[in-house]
Amino acid sequence: MEGQETQAAPVPAVVLFDFDGVLTHADTFELFVRERYDRASWRKLLVLLALPWLLLSWPFTRRLRLPLVHIALLGVGQAGYRAAVDDFAARLVRRPGHFCRDGIRALRRHQAAGERVIVVTGCEHTLVESLLGQLGLGGVELVASQLKPGPLGLRMARHTVGAGKLKALGAHGVPAWRRAYGDSLHDLHMLKAAAEPVLVNGNPKLCKRVEQALGRPVERVAWH
């Protein structure tokens, strides 16, 4: 009506979830890479041939895992990768014990409360996207590591870990969040910026280190 002020719709609270260790019990991309090697012995042979160079460069780069990922994806294009990921995801969701039931329930509760839920993870985007879809969580926003085409196959384009999560969230248009669920020191930046940091399945030593780094208490949950 004329003369009445229109009220803006309330902005939903933002809630962040890490993926591995929070919604799963294992490193999902590592499982995928291991399977790639198990299915193609020639990839293992390439690693053996490259091992002297890998060991020589490791003290300087501390990124030994990255060349192993590149060899696992050697000769793989985007379409082939999507097909491999979807096949892997379809089998993984049927594997007992991989996913954290309590974590999935918590995510659904936040969704039901009308909050904006975002999964923020160092795991690869296409893989997590496929898994969330298989779990019936296809509508969840996702900020994750990404691959890019290279001359010999897919390569890592963006690794969303540590402070990289803050940068990726900023690029996603998310400058602030109320609650964040993490499980390791890699999530410190994400937890520190949260009004309500939550540590999932942390042992006493990890809890102490996280609280010292944050300078305040952290909520602790034990999820199965």
Side-chain angles (χ1 to χ4, degrees):
M1 294 178 63
E2 187 176 351
Q4 287 186 331
E5 294 185 2
T6 58
Q7 292 185 345
V11 178
V14 176
V15 180
L16 307 182
F17 280 80
D18 184 25
F19 189 68
D20 291 322
V22 172
L23 299 179
T24 76
H25 291 298
D27 187 319
T28 307
F29 192 65
E30 181 177 321
L31 292 176
F32 174 76
V33 169
R34 284 178 180 272
E35 183 175 283
R36 298 284 302 173
Y37 280 100
D38 289 340
R39 291 189 169 195
S41 298
W42 62 268
R43 298 185 191 276
K44 296 179 181 179
L45 179 60
L46 281 181
V47 171
L48 288 176
L49 293 174
L51 193 57
W53 175 80
L54 294 176
L55 293 177
L56 184 65
S57 61
W58 178 74
F60 304 100
T61 64
R62 301 293 181 182
R63 300 180 72 180
L64 182 59
R65 183 181 179 182
L66 202 55
L68 298 180
V69 170
H70 293 161
I71 293 174
L73 298 177
L74 192 65
V76 180
Q78 290 176 311
Y81 177 70
R82 166 61 78 173
V85 158
D86 287 343
D87 173 69
F88 177 78
R91 289 181 285 107
L92 190 61
V93 295
R94 297 193 296 269
R95 184 180 300 181
H98 180 73
F99 292 95
C100 178
R101 297 188 303 272
D102 294 331
I104 300 296
R105 291 191 192 105
L107 188 151
R108 293 187 187 276
R109 285 197 299 270
H110 284 292
Q111 281 186 309
E115 295 168 314
R116 182 182 179 186
V117 177
I118 307 174
V119 172
V120 188
T121 174
C123 193
E124 194 279 322
H125 189 282
T126 305
L127 176 55
V128 180
E129 182 182 55
S130 185
L131 286 167
L132 291 176
Q134 294 277 353
L135 292 169
L137 297 170
V140 175
E141 290 182 63
L142 177 60
V143 175
S145 297
Q146 293 186 334
L147 300 171
K148 64 180 179 181
L152 300 177
L154 296 177
R155 302 178 64 83
M156 189 64 68
R158 181 182 75 185
H159 199 193
T160 311
V161 296
K165 290 189 175 184
L166 302 189
K167 183 177 180 180
L169 284 164
H172 192 68
V174 184
W177 44 93
R178 177 176 63 82
R179 192 169 179 85
Y181 295 89
D183 73 301
S184 73
L185 294 174
H186 293 298
D187 298 320
L188 277 177
H189 294 85
M190 182 177 80
L191 294 172
K192 192 169 186 177
E196 301 172 5
V198 184
L199 186 62
V200 178
N201 294 340
N203 58 42
K205 182 179 179 179
L206 176 61
C207 290
K208 183 178 180 180
R209 292 184 66 183
V210 169
E211 289 185 338
Q212 287 177 338
L214 298 184
R216 56 190 166 118
V218 62
E219 182 179 338
R220 308 175 189 182
V221 294
W223 285 352
H224 302 285

